[in-house]
Amino acid sequence: MNNKLTRFFGICVLSLGVVAVDALAQQGRGGRQGGGMGMMTAGGMTPDYMLRDLQRFQEGLLLTEEQVQIVEQILREYDEAFREASELAQQTMGDTFRSMRPAEGDPSFQRTQEIRQEMREMREKVRSAESLSGEQDMSEVIEKLRAQGEALRAESDELRQQMMDSPERQAAFENLSLLVNDQLRLKRKMRTEFESDLVAILTEPQVELWPPLQRQLVRDRLLPRGRLSGETVDVMGLVEEKEYDDDTLLLVLPVLMQWDEDVTSALTERDDHLVQNQAVLMTAMTSGDNDAGVNILREQANLAESVRDINNNAVSDISLMLNEELGAAFKDTARERGYSRIYRMTRTQRAYKAAMELEGLDEDILQAIIDLNIAFELEIDYVNEQIYSATLRWEAQEQLERMNRWASRMRGGDSERAESPIQKAEEAKRAIDESYLEQLRMLLTPEQIETLGGLESRDNRERGQRDRG
């Protein structure tokens, strides 16, 4: 945090009885952990505190030099103990996963390899038959090949189900559940012991500074782990980046303080729920108890939406408190940061921007490009709002469906992908993009088009990539 903002929050905090918080989240810590198994084993292997947090303790708690040395020693001991326990747990888990691999001499494993090879050959035969369909009727041959492929896929699914249900593999999953639980219990114990040792060396005024610093560290650790769009937005960090004057900072301070309390509580609840249910989730996924697994994932999605909504509400409140220009800029920055997939500049937008800067354009052509760009931006703004609304409504549900499909594949199933309202809205945006790109191309000379990079349509680019492949 810059000196001006530090001094400002320090003054306001003293008057309100709250410490200033540096909320620029450390993006290097944590991060999104993809995949079903990553979600089931996440949390236990990441420490609550790190050696690099020492400076935050020093500044946030106003530690003396002697206290800094003590806290550094406590942190170092915590770090070494956690690292040792985590490495042992990961090694044991790795050994358990490796023990689940079938032996090369296992008949089921051998048949699975044979099926893979047969299916590759079958796909090649289908492609060959389709390429000849223009010269002769190959529909019966193609249908027969596809039926054979479906039979192979069904046999493969049955073999996978048998291997998943084998006593050896189920025992391995039970051991993994125990390992996860043990690591989580150890993590909670170490965190409690560290915090007790820390508070024990603090003076009474320093103890009052500990809760807000603790919230800061929680946000730094847990905000970047969000899975939903908007869930990782650091509202206080956005305010810091804007470098507002003192009057503006004083105006938005109550919203920031409320966000500090609310988002930290929601993040903790989200993390605690996952930590407490990791072993149950693993058992549900591997045993086929879909109801139990879905219930946990649905609650986890609800908790993630709570974090996202707290961020969105804080951004909205701050935008309304600022003047029109500052409010719009703050909202745009927050959306670009939290919903970059929606609000980042498209290729067509960049093309129009570059086209309006071309040298030697006729005035009529330039005006036509400007007029098209205005219409284009209006349509893009509208469709972006459609995607944004669909994302808020459906993103968590679609993530839940992806996890269900992952669990189904683990057990040899093959669930169909449901139609995505988000993807449907994104396709409408791509159609607008391509339409206006084509209109721009029609206004320019071949040399100007070449200067702008060719302005190939999406279909042509993909076709060229396939040809090169």
Side-chain angles (χ1 to χ4, degrees):
M1 179 179 291
N2 58 53
N3 292 334
K4 177 183 176 182
L5 202 55
T6 301
R7 289 195 300 272
F8 175 83
F9 275 108
I11 294 171
C12 296
V13 165
L14 289 175
S15 64
L16 297 170
V18 181
V19 71
V21 179
D22 170 13
L24 183 59
Q26 297 176 358
Q27 296 299 324
R29 177 181 301 179
R32 298 190 182 195
Q33 300 173 9
M37 195 58 70
M39 187 175 185
M40 290 191 292
T41 58
M45 302 303 172
T46 54
D48 293 302
Y49 300 105
M50 295 184 172
L51 277 171
R52 66 187 180 196
D53 293 329
L54 178 62
Q55 185 176 356
R56 293 177 179 269
F57 284 111
Q58 181 178 1
E59 296 174 353
L61 300 175
L62 306 177
L63 299 177
T64 66
E65 290 186 9
E66 182 180 0
Q67 286 176 316
V68 170
Q69 293 177 0
I70 297 173
V71 173
E72 182 178 9
Q73 182 60 32
I74 297 173
L75 270 173
R76 198 171 297 280
E77 291 174 358
Y78 169 88
D79 181 75
E80 292 175 357
F82 190 93
R83 190 188 305 276
E84 181 180 345
S86 177
E87 289 176 354
L88 178 60
Q90 290 183 62
Q91 180 180 351
T92 306
M93 286 184 181
D95 292 341
T96 303
F97 276 117
R98 284 187 287 274
S99 71
M100 295 163 62
R101 297 173 184 170
E104 292 189 7
D106 182 89
S108 296
F109 176 75
Q110 290 180 340
R111 180 54 188 154
T112 299
Q113 298 299 101
E114 293 171 358
I115 290 175
R116 288 181 180 176
Q117 180 60 33
E118 290 175 21
M119 290 184 71
R120 282 194 290 268
E121 295 173 356
M122 194 69 63
R123 285 192 293 270
E124 185 61 36
K125 291 178 181 178
V126 169
R127 282 194 291 267
S128 298
E130 288 175 339
S131 66
L132 296 173
S133 59
E135 303 174 9
Q136 52 186 303
D137 185 9
M138 301 293 292
S139 56
E140 184 176 345
V141 174
I142 292 173
E143 190 65 28
K144 182 178 179 180
L145 289 170
R146 286 177 174 167
Q148 293 174 358
E150 287 298 322
L152 288 172
R153 186 175 293 106
E155 184 182 356
S156 176
D157 291 343
E158 184 178 351
L159 286 171
R160 191 187 308 169
Q161 180 74 38
Q162 291 174 0
M163 288 189 288
M164 180 65 70
D165 290 338
S166 68
E168 296 80 11
R169 180 160 291 201
Q170 290 301 313
F173 275 120
E174 289 178 8
N175 288 335
L176 284 173
S177 297
L178 293 174
L179 286 168
V180 169
N181 270 333
D182 289 344
Q183 181 66 15
L184 293 173
R185 278 195 295 268
L186 178 61
K187 178 179 177 176
R188 286 193 293 269
K189 178 175 179 290
M190 293 181 67
R191 179 179 64 196
T192 301
E193 290 176 351
F194 171 82
E195 293 173 353
S196 298
D197 291 343
L198 174 68
V199 172
I201 69 165
L202 301 180
T203 64
E204 188 172 336
Q206 289 172 329
V207 170
E208 294 178 2
L209 300 178
W210 168 233
L213 175 61
Q214 189 177 33
R215 290 195 298 272
Q216 169 192 333
L217 294 170
V218 167
R219 292 199 311 276
D220 287 352
R221 179 168 52 88
L222 299 183
L223 257 181
R225 295 185 191 173
R227 294 169 176 271
L228 299 180
S229 300
E231 194 183 354
T232 62
V233 172
D234 175 11
V235 178
M236 197 174 293
L238 291 179
V239 171
E240 176 189 348
E241 291 176 17
K242 293 299 182 181
E243 298 184 347
Y244 296 130
D245 58 39
D246 289 356
D247 290 340
T248 302
L249 291 174
L250 185 59
L251 181 67
V252 303
L253 182 63
V255 176
L256 290 178
M257 292 172 60
Q258 190 63 53
W259 174 81
D260 172 30
E261 297 275 358
D262 293 346
V263 81
T264 305
S265 176
L267 287 168
T268 302
E269 187 176 1
R270 184 194 74 187
D271 189 59
D272 286 348
H273 177 268
L274 181 58
V275 165
Q276 293 163 7
N277 289 278
Q278 279 179 320
V280 179
L281 182 61
M282 181 176 289
T283 300
M285 288 287 190
T286 56
S287 66
D289 185 2
N290 290 335
D291 290 341
V294 167
N295 289 338
I296 292 172
L297 293 175
R298 184 176 290 113
E299 179 60 23
Q300 188 67 200
N302 292 337
L303 295 171
E305 287 183 327
S306 296
V307 175
R308 180 201 64 193
D309 293 345
I310 290 169
N311 289 339
N312 287 348
N313 291 338
V315 169
S316 178
D317 290 344
I318 291 174
S319 300
L320 293 173
M321 297 175 76
L322 302 173
N323 64 45
E324 184 176 354
E325 182 180 354
L326 291 179
F330 183 79
K331 183 178 179 180
D332 288 345
T333 301
R335 285 197 169 182
E336 288 169 5
R337 194 69 52 82
Y339 300 83
S340 60
R341 182 174 176 179
I342 303 173
Y343 293 101
R344 66 190 172 203
M345 185 175 287
T346 69
R347 178 171 176 266
T348 302
Q349 286 175 305
R350 291 193 298 271
Y352 269 86
K353 183 176 184 296
M356 288 185 286
E357 297 173 354
L358 283 172
E359 296 182 359
L361 273 180
D362 293 340
E363 289 187 9
D364 291 345
I365 297 296
L366 176 59
Q367 188 59 50
I369 294 174
I370 292 173
D371 292 342
L372 272 176
N373 186 59
I374 292 172
F376 173 53
E377 290 294 344
L378 288 174
E379 289 199 47
I380 284 294
D381 287 345
Y382 175 78
V383 77
N384 278 346
E385 289 303 307
Q386 301 299 110
I387 301 173
Y388 178 73
S389 298
T391 298
L392 294 183
R393 185 175 181 184
W394 296 105
E395 186 178 24
Q397 177 63 31
E398 290 186 6
Q399 289 194 3
L400 180 61
E401 290 172 356
R402 281 196 295 272
M403 290 293 291
N404 282 334
R405 290 196 299 272
W406 176 81
S408 176
R409 288 196 299 271
M410 280 189 66
R411 300 192 59 79
D414 186 20
S415 58
E416 291 186 6
R417 184 189 299 267
E419 183 180 16
S420 166
I422 301 175
Q423 187 175 357
K424 189 174 181 180
E426 289 174 339
E427 288 171 354
K429 180 177 179 177
R430 284 193 290 271
I432 294 172
D433 239 33
E434 294 297 330
S435 172
Y436 277 90
L437 187 66
E438 178 62 26
Q439 293 179 69
L440 175 62
R441 190 185 299 110
M442 293 171 64
L443 290 172
L444 301 175
T445 66
E447 293 76 14
Q448 291 168 337
I449 291 173
E450 184 66 27
T451 300
L452 297 179
L455 303 184
E456 288 183 309
S457 69
R458 184 167 177 262
D459 289 342
N460 287 339
R461 290 198 309 274
E462 291 178 349
R463 189 177 301 114
Q465 290 169 357
R466 288 195 297 269
D467 291 344
R468 287 192 296 272

